[in-house]
Amino acid sequence: MGRPRTVAASSSISNSNGDTGKGGEKVDDGVDIQSLKSDIGRIQAMTVRQLRLVAKNFGIPARGSKNDLVSALKCFLEDEKNESTEHVPSEIKSIHPEQSSSPKDETHSCVEVSIEKTAMVSEVSEIGQKRRRGKPSLIDSIDDHPGAVIAKEKLSTKLHDNLEIEPPPAKRSGSSHIVEVKEEVIAPNGAGLISEPIEPWTMLAHKKPQQGWIPYNPRTMRPPLLADGTKSLKLISWNVNGLKALLKADRFLGFAQKENFDVLCMQETKLQDKDVEKIKQCLIAGYENSFWTCSVSKLGYSGTAIISRLKPLSVRYGLGITDHDTEGRLVTVEYDTFYLICGYVPNSGEGLRRLTYRVTQWDPSLSSYMKELEKSKPVILTGDLNCAHQEIDIYNPAGNRRSAGFTDEERKSLELNFLSKGYVDTFRRQHPGVVGYTYWGYRHGGRKTNKGWRLDYFLVSESIADKVHDSYILPDVTGSDHCPVGLILKL
């Protein structure tokens, strides 16, 4: 989707006369930044374009309406006048850790809260009107659509010393906004600030939220641990979006040690057969049983794997159908009381070029395979199913009706081939009315504002659905554009 034209941020900005601006120089149409510090009132008379250029030159977020930009610049310049140049006002600190602040005076309060208002202007707003009209293209991710509403009835944070910070005033009709709350804690030695944004998944992020919907919060919504002596298995599934990159970033081992799972199913490993033995040596000890399948039709693509503490009774790769088994999309292991399938369902692709294949061939074939296994024991299917089933499972349902993963055809296929045939969506059964996402596009930082999709599932045979103790999401685990999902099954 086309995006509004913006001027790239840089250390200097050229105006129409070829002058450059940084600090006190002129920036576009004769705006003199240095003079603004002595005459803050001039800001109100500036155009939106001038305000954005000046804001970018100071490192201030340049989004939002004219009122937002004026307020931000005034706040910044007033602090510049009143405070030393070594103190960076908390109101304009970026939430990105790589842009951390300068040291603060130790006499300041131990905890400060700053509220940053980022205007996400909807299609009827000034920025939205400049966007190209027409249907969104397939490759537009959900975070290409502005206008998120992440709301709280009241935002009031009380700190010690009776400090209270109220939310920004409501925006005019036709726009919507995101309020981000950031807690800044002075390090014990007073050397600087540690900026911690609140957990974005704890805020309700949806274009069209229904009454009663609430955001998923694993801290408060997971059940108590099972009683000592209760036999259970902890299964986790994760689309890792490239296992080599995850291992290189040193994120996998810490995750594995913390979660202490019994079985891990991975999708989109992007490995080749020649990589597998070396990768096995990098995995955490205690999981001697691992089973890998890689794409042979397109190297370094797709790929699935299961690593397990338990030795399975049998292992199968693929569906047993040549047309479906060249991309490394399925591994099945058999345990004493159930079959576990790790699957990576084909994405319908750009232009929905694989939609027909997916809903008329792949899904029915996988469903038939599962029903055949189920004749001997219950079946668990987990993985990236590449479909957000209902509107509650996607941030922007209206904007993605013809996007891969949310077409009517894919959603009906999920219902027809799996849910209506006795397989239970364990997360949705445990959490009706709860908005929880497992995928966020990298573009435009969808994860920071919780604009996501729920694409990763644990589907289980109805006969063992009552043995599910917990079906959960781990939205705090990073390293991929997906996060892990988990299932605790009582034996």
Side-chain angles (χ1 to χ4, degrees):
M1 174 174 285
R3 298 197 63 79
R5 180 183 179 274
T6 59
V7 179
S10 63
S11 59
S12 63
I13 307 173
S14 299
N15 66 17
S16 57
N17 298 322
D19 297 329
T20 61
K22 183 176 182 182
E25 301 301 323
K26 291 186 176 181
V27 178
D28 192 68
D29 300 327
V31 177
D32 191 322
I33 293 178
Q34 187 61 40
S35 67
L36 293 178
K37 295 181 180 179
S38 58
D39 185 9
I40 295 177
R42 286 187 57 200
I43 294 175
Q44 194 67 47
M46 293 169 63
T47 66
V48 171
R49 183 167 182 267
Q50 290 171 330
L51 289 166
R52 286 185 181 142
L53 287 170
V54 173
K56 284 186 175 182
N57 200 53
F58 279 127
I60 302 172
R63 286 183 174 181
S65 66
K66 181 174 180 178
N67 288 338
D68 297 326
L69 295 166
V70 167
S71 297
L73 281 169
K74 283 184 176 180
C75 181
F76 173 76
L77 292 173
E78 286 172 356
D79 285 337
E80 282 286 301
K81 291 172 63 178
N82 297 331
E83 299 181 12
S84 68
T85 58
E86 293 182 353
H87 173 65
V88 180
S90 61
E91 289 79 6
I92 63 163
K93 291 184 188 298
S94 167
I95 64 173
H96 300 292
E98 61 268 23
Q99 298 174 346
S100 58
S101 62
S102 301
K104 287 183 67 104
D105 190 324
E106 293 184 8
T107 60
H108 286 204
S109 172
C110 287
V111 179
E112 296 180 349
V113 170
S114 66
I115 298 178
E116 296 179 335
K117 181 172 68 175
T118 304
M120 303 296 291
V121 187
S122 64
E123 285 79 1
V124 297
S125 69
E126 175 186 23
I127 295 178
Q129 291 172 350
K130 296 181 182 179
R131 288 180 173 269
R132 186 177 68 206
R133 303 301 183 189
K135 294 182 180 180
S137 68
L138 175 70
I139 60 174
D140 287 336
S141 62
I142 48 89
D143 45 10
D144 286 326
H145 303 277
V149 178
I150 299 179
K152 289 182 182 284
E153 292 291 328
K154 181 179 180 182
L155 177 64
S156 178
T157 305
K158 292 187 177 181
L159 305 177
H160 53 276
D161 300 328
N162 297 319
L163 173 63
E164 182 171 323
I165 297 183
E166 295 294 338
K171 292 180 64 65
R172 65 183 183 280
S173 176
S175 298
S176 56
H177 65 272
I178 294 171
V179 175
E180 295 175 346
V181 181
K182 180 181 63 180
E183 189 175 69
E184 296 177 343
V185 183
I186 296 180
N189 60 3
L193 292 180
I194 304 170
S195 297
E196 293 290 343
I198 66 172
E199 298 169 331
W201 54 87
T202 62
M203 299 184 291
L204 180 61
H206 202 279
K207 276 271 194 170
K208 192 179 178 181
Q210 303 299 306
Q211 185 175 6
W213 286 5
I214 58 175
Y216 178 67
N217 186 347
R219 295 183 185 276
T220 60
M221 293 183 177
R222 294 190 61 183
L225 296 176
L226 289 168
D228 291 342
T230 304
K231 293 184 178 181
S232 65
L233 281 178
K234 185 175 188 179
L235 315 176
I236 287 184
S237 176
W238 191 8
N239 179 323
V240 294
N241 192 25
L243 184 55
K244 285 183 180 179
L246 193 66
L247 291 171
K248 187 175 181 180
D250 291 330
R251 290 175 174 170
F252 179 82
L253 296 182
F255 156 74
Q257 290 168 345
K258 178 182 177 182
E259 292 304 319
N260 192 29
F261 46 76
D262 295 301
V263 183
L264 173 65
C265 300
M266 294 182 286
Q267 305 86 47
E268 212 170 352
T269 58
K270 298 183 179 179
L271 299 178
Q272 299 180 39
D273 287 327
K274 65 182 179 65
D275 302 321
V276 171
E277 287 305 317
K278 183 177 179 180
I279 291 294
K280 285 183 179 180
Q281 307 305 315
C282 300
L283 299 179
I284 191 170
Y287 297 89
E288 287 76 18
N289 307 288
S290 65
F291 312 97
W292 309 75
T293 180
C294 304
S295 173
V296 294
S297 61
K298 183 178 179 181
L299 300 182
Y301 170 73
S302 186
T304 50
I306 295 178
I307 65 173
S308 173
R309 281 197 178 112
L310 308 175
K311 185 176 181 179
L313 303 177
S314 66
V315 182
R316 307 183 192 189
Y317 300 95
L319 291 168
I321 303 173
T322 303
D323 289 345
H324 301 328
D325 291 346
T326 62
E327 295 180 347
R329 293 186 176 274
L330 217 68
V331 181
T332 305
V333 292
E334 178 188 5
Y335 294 113
D336 289 338
T337 56
F338 63 91
Y339 286 100
L340 173 64
I341 303 173
C342 171
Y344 179 37
V345 173
N347 190 299
S348 293
E350 184 176 354
L352 300 178
R353 67 184 185 279
R354 301 189 80 182
L355 176 61
T356 300
Y357 163 71
R358 182 214 168 128
V359 301
T360 65
Q361 297 182 54
W362 173 272
D363 285 356
S365 296
L366 175 57
S367 176
S368 297
Y369 173 74
M370 292 170 63
K371 295 307 289 185
E372 189 65 27
L373 293 177
E374 201 174 30
K375 290 178 180 179
S376 59
K377 59 184 68 175
V379 173
I380 298 175
L381 170 66
T382 188
D384 179 0
L385 303 191
N386 261 317
C387 180
H389 179 221
Q390 300 172 321
E391 290 197 351
I392 194 174
D393 297 315
I394 183 172
Y395 158 74
N396 184 13
N400 286 282
R401 292 292 180 191
R402 296 309 295 167
S403 295
F406 196 65
T407 63
D408 289 342
E409 295 92 329
E410 291 163 310
R411 296 164 63 201
K412 289 176 182 176
S413 179
L414 179 62
E415 183 72 39
L416 175 66
N417 288 296
F418 303 101
L419 302 181
S420 68
K421 291 192 174 181
Y423 298 104
V424 175
D425 177 353
T426 57
F427 180 84
R428 186 54 63 214
R429 173 170 286 192
Q430 183 176 335
H431 300 288
V434 173
V435 177
Y437 303 132
T438 65
Y439 164 82
W440 303 264
Y442 281 134
R443 296 169 60 189
H444 316 298
R447 197 160 188 163
K448 293 177 183 176
T449 47
N450 198 30
K451 296 187 291 185
W453 307 52
R454 188 171 73 96
L455 302 178
D456 304 85
Y457 297 78
F458 273 95
L459 304 184
V460 304
S461 296
E462 181 70 55
S463 60
I464 59 171
D466 61 345
K467 295 184 180 295
V468 173
H469 174 68
D470 190 13
S471 183
Y472 58 97
I473 298 172
L474 296 171
D476 59 318
V477 178
T478 59
S480 169
D481 49 2
H482 292 249
C483 74
V485 295
L487 187 81
I488 296 178
L489 186 71
K490 294 179 288 186
L491 299 178

